[in-house]
Amino acid sequence: MQGDQIPAFLARLELFRDLEPAELGRIAVRLVAVEVPAGSLLFEEHAPRRNLHIIESGEVELFQRPPGGGEKRLAWFGPGDFLGEGSFLDDYPHSSCARALVDCRILRLPRDRFLEMIETEPALAARVLARTVRVISRRMTLASVRLANPGAQYVSGRTRSEHDLLGDRAVPHESYYGIQTLRAVENFPISGVALSHHPSLVRALAMVKDACARANAELGHLPQPVADAITRACHEIVQGKLHGHFVVDLIQGGAGTSTNMNANEVIANRALELLGHDKGEYVHCHPNNHVNLSQSTNDAYPTALRVALIHANTGICGVLRELVTAFAAKAAEFTDVLKMGRTQLQDAVPMTLGQEFEAYAVTLGEEIERLEQNAALFLEVNLGGTAIGTGLNADPDFGAKAVAHLRETSGLPVRLAPHLIESTMDTGAFVMYSSALKRLAVKLSKICNDLRLLSSGPRTGLGEINLPPMQPGSSIMPGKVNPVIPEVVNQVAFKVIGNDLTVTMAAEAGQLELNVMEPVIVQSLLESIDMLENGMETLRVRCITGITANVERCLEHVQRSIGVVTALNPVLGYDKSTELAQEALRTGRGVYDLVLEKGLLSREDLDRLLSPAAMVRPRRL
């Protein structure tokens, strides 16, 4: 680039957009042009900020070096992007590294030259500083949103102008989302958890948009090149790309419109690139006119929710199966460990520790079938119903064709609902599935309560099992180790139970032809699934597989318990057995000794009746 071209180049940058040509020229003479070979660093993590770096040509990546080693890529920059504008304000160390991916030409504005400009041209410096603050503020706003892509805060500073019914807004140049997504981010800073936190939902949105584009192309409503570009963009999202641009909070007003538009805008802008156009040139591929063609939020969004939940259910069932297997393995390991069973926290009758753990495996195994049964309700979708189920603005054949393509793209046997108006207003499937999650949570919490009781002590409690020690248990009591893993799973269960109530209330709040509360329904369900998956995996890896049995303690409890007297009922009768139990309690003596002393049974008969094999399973009287 020639020296006289630099002012025009600077005019396109956000930092200098409001400056006059003469002012741009005075900044241009302060720039230093440098050639940076591929692989070289522009700046390094923890080094003081010394320059504003403007990329004239080439590509630069931003990355961090985590303490554990390796590199974590944050963002990519190209011509017209700039980095390090914070050097205008202070020389605080860089939080990342910047490396040239190819040979680059960089225009640098050194910090000392800018400080000199503050002294000699304060008005010009003040205008640049005002722009700098706006750029940094926008970066911080993005950084405050919880995203799957941590590099989202490193925007280049360039913007593009977009328009909607409320007016014009500047959208970050490198963002694939557009003006409606930008407004949603500002309007709904609710949970701090963006769509990108749930990849299953992002992928499902792309699958639905892909299916719709294919159907519209078949029906002749969408030019084939545009449809192909939309499909390619959707495939990239399904493969995991661009998820960091799904930035809208899951909890939002508008019945999911912001989520739908976030997907429409990201797909449209990526399709524009594939068509050879710049982001924002919507005349060639429009978020509403092309990506959202023949659809409404009210059919595309709930269809995506259902697809996402079916796929998420596959994940949670897989984790649950592994937990069931872990409990079954412990049941086999403890098959010969005799212990006392208890009812109402009182001694009942003997059993084995293996039987107890086998019961845990069986009861959790039942929940796999319950989850799969209820997830199957999501296979019925209302795609093609548009706003309220009447199909306004959609081809009569669109729904059937779109669902057929969705079966292909999702790999699921989805089907079109028989009555689209009913299916648009109905959220009963969400209620049923939420109840299944709650049922699983209740069972997990009960089992964790048992584990805490069985491991209580270790000296003054039941102490029949040992949980693997995970961390010191007290800031004041030396040697104390707490059952922290069952405790955290208990708390997961409480959250899931609360989310089920949220789903119930949100489903009840539906009015007329639509339930606008679907965003909080899906947020609650996806949060419950994530927490249950994480909780069950933690329980399996950090607790169940490491449990050991205190065999002697278990046997001691059996020998000291009056519960064994129940095994003598069929021979001695209820009344005589009751007398033995009362005397054993009163004197502290064992039932075994009292029976022999009173001559009620021979030692051989008593040993046979009180043998472990006789007491832990049915036997003929």
Side-chain angles (χ1 to χ4, degrees):
M1 184 183 299
Q2 301 298 319
D4 57 355
Q5 296 175 315
I6 291 179
F9 174 70
L10 295 179
R12 300 198 297 269
L13 272 62
E14 184 75 9
L15 286 178
F16 311 116
R17 180 166 292 175
D18 296 333
L19 302 185
E20 299 295 330
E23 294 173 318
L24 292 169
R26 295 202 295 274
I27 290 176
V29 299
R30 291 179 164 88
L31 298 177
V32 178
V34 294
E35 303 293 335
V36 181
S40 301
L41 294 178
L42 279 69
F43 54 79
E44 195 163 9
E45 196 171 358
H46 307 307
R49 286 182 292 196
R50 294 284 187 252
N51 301 281
L52 165 70
H53 302 267
I54 303 170
I55 304 173
E56 182 182 323
S57 64
E59 299 176 358
V60 174
E61 68 171 345
L62 206 64
F63 66 95
Q64 288 179 326
R65 294 174 175 142
E71 294 181 353
K72 183 177 184 180
R73 188 176 185 184
L74 300 173
W76 173 93
F77 297 100
D81 292 338
F82 56 87
L83 306 89
E85 72 285 348
S87 60
F88 292 166
L89 303 177
D90 57 56
D91 59 354
Y92 194 78
H94 287 285
S95 61
S96 57
C97 304
R99 178 169 53 211
L101 294 174
V102 297
D103 291 343
C104 297
R105 181 177 169 84
I106 306 295
L107 301 177
R108 287 178 177 166
L109 178 54
R111 171 178 163 78
D112 56 0
R113 293 194 179 186
F114 186 78
L115 293 177
E116 180 268 334
M117 188 169 69
I118 292 177
E119 296 292 331
T120 59
E121 299 189 67
L124 176 58
R127 295 174 67 184
V128 174
L129 281 175
R131 277 286 181 178
T132 301
V133 170
R134 289 177 62 180
V135 169
I136 293 175
S137 175
R138 186 168 73 247
R139 289 183 174 178
M140 293 303 296
T141 299
L142 288 172
S144 68
V145 180
R146 184 174 171 187
L147 300 175
N149 175 14
Q153 60 182 292
Y154 297 101
V155 295
S156 68
R158 287 194 292 162
T159 60
R160 65 178 187 270
S161 180
E162 292 196 13
H163 178 83
D164 65 7
L165 67 89
L166 298 182
D168 297 324
R169 288 295 302 274
V171 178
H173 171 77
E174 61 286 308
S175 296
Y176 284 87
Y177 60 77
I179 185 171
Q180 293 200 44
T181 300
L182 183 66
R183 294 193 191 280
V185 169
E186 296 169 346
N187 289 336
F188 308 122
I190 306 302
S191 70
V193 179
L195 298 177
S196 56
H197 186 69
H198 296 286
S200 61
L201 179 54
V202 174
R203 288 193 293 266
L205 287 162
M207 291 174 187
V208 170
K209 298 299 177 179
D210 177 19
C212 291
R214 290 168 180 259
N216 281 314
E218 280 187 16
L219 293 166
H221 304 312
L222 192 63
Q224 195 63 52
V226 175
D228 291 343
I230 291 173
T231 291
R232 285 180 59 191
C234 291
H235 285 185
E236 289 183 2
I237 294 170
V238 171
Q239 294 301 316
K241 297 181 180 180
L242 304 179
H243 284 214
H245 296 270
F246 287 77
V247 295
V248 174
D249 198 297
L250 254 70
I251 299 181
Q252 57 193 250
T257 296
S258 296
T259 293
N260 187 41
M261 285 308 303
N262 195 166
N264 289 335
E265 290 175 340
V266 171
I267 293 167
N269 279 306
R270 178 55 184 147
L272 284 170
E273 288 185 335
L274 294 170
L275 290 168
H277 304 289
D278 288 336
K279 292 189 287 288
E281 294 185 350
Y282 293 139
V283 66
H284 305 289
C285 183
H286 195 281
N288 298 82
N289 298 338
H290 297 106
V291 181
N292 200 62
L293 182 63
S294 306
Q295 306 151 60
S296 163
T297 292
N298 302 345
D299 62 343
Y301 177 67
T303 297
L305 301 186
R306 285 161 167 78
V307 171
L309 287 169
I310 294 172
H311 284 139
N313 183 70
T314 301
I316 192 174
C317 286
V319 174
L320 180 52
R321 284 189 181 91
E322 292 179 346
L323 181 60
V324 169
T325 299
F327 272 112
K330 284 297 166 182
E333 180 182 339
F334 300 149
T335 187
D336 295 324
V337 180
L338 189 66
K339 59 158 288 178
M340 281 304 298
R342 299 173 179 87
T343 58
Q344 286 92 5
L345 295 180
Q346 308 299 305
D347 296 355
V349 296
M351 66 184 303
T352 68
L353 190 60
Q355 288 174 318
E356 197 160 29
F357 275 73
E358 183 180 35
Y360 298 150
V362 171
T363 194
L364 290 176
E366 293 175 350
E367 299 315 296
I368 298 172
E369 184 178 357
R370 298 289 87 76
L371 287 170
E372 290 178 340
Q373 286 176 341
N374 285 284
L377 298 174
F378 296 135
L379 291 171
E380 189 173 279
V381 300
N382 68 329
L383 197 57
T386 67
I388 64 171
T390 60
L392 179 67
N393 292 346
D395 189 290
D397 296 326
F398 172 78
K401 286 185 177 295
V403 170
H405 285 297
L406 185 58
R407 281 196 290 270
E408 178 186 345
T409 58
S410 67
L412 301 172
V414 292
R415 59 185 179 274
L416 196 61
H419 196 288
L420 294 181
I421 294 177
E422 182 277 336
S423 63
T424 300
M425 68 173 67
D426 178 46
T427 53
F430 297 123
V431 175
M432 293 293 288
Y433 186 73
S434 180
S435 296
L437 293 175
K438 180 181 73 173
R439 175 171 149 153
L440 170 60
V442 169
K443 287 190 174 185
L444 283 168
S445 192
K446 186 270 180 193
I447 291 170
C448 287
N449 290 339
D450 288 357
L451 297 177
R452 291 163 60 202
L453 283 171
L454 292 171
S455 64
S456 61
R459 299 290 177 84
T460 59
L462 297 184
E464 295 182 347
I465 63 173
N466 305 303
L467 305 184
M470 287 292 107
Q471 62 187 56
S474 174
S475 61
I476 188 174
M477 293 171 279
K480 190 171 188 287
V481 178
N482 295 328
V484 293
I485 304 303
E487 287 172 352
V488 78
V489 176
N490 284 133
Q491 294 171 74
V492 167
F494 305 156
K495 279 289 294 178
V496 173
I497 293 167
N499 282 344
D500 177 65
L501 178 58
T502 298
V503 171
T504 302
M505 297 303 295
E508 184 275 336
Q511 297 169 324
L512 304 177
E513 280 67 57
L514 181 68
N515 189 315
V516 302
M517 308 302 175
E518 281 185 348
V520 77
I521 289 177
V522 73
Q523 186 275 335
S524 299
L525 291 175
L526 290 175
E527 180 183 61
S528 291
I529 290 171
D530 280 357
M531 293 187 72
L532 283 169
E533 277 192 24
N534 294 337
M536 290 190 296
E537 183 70 6
T538 299
L539 181 64
R540 179 181 68 85
V541 173
R542 296 187 173 273
C543 183
I544 304 305
T545 58
I547 291 176
T548 58
N550 287 328
V551 179
E552 295 79 10
R553 184 67 172 268
C554 290
L555 184 59
E556 178 188 356
H557 285 161
V558 173
Q559 293 172 340
R560 294 180 56 195
S561 173
I562 63 167
V564 296
V565 76
T566 305
L568 304 179
N569 257 350
V571 177
L572 301 180
Y574 187 85
D575 291 339
K576 179 61 68 176
S577 297
T578 300
E579 291 176 9
L580 286 169
Q582 290 176 328
E583 185 173 349
L585 281 173
R586 186 174 64 253
T587 63
R589 300 180 65 192
V591 170
Y592 188 94
D593 293 335
L594 289 174
V595 170
L596 293 179
E597 181 181 297
K598 296 177 181 296
L600 299 175
L601 290 169
S602 67
R603 185 179 297 275
E604 292 75 13
D605 288 340
L606 185 59
D607 287 342
R608 177 176 52 81
L609 291 170
L610 297 184
S611 68
M615 289 192 293
V616 299
R617 58 184 55 88
R619 57 186 174 86
R620 297 193 182 280
L621 304 179

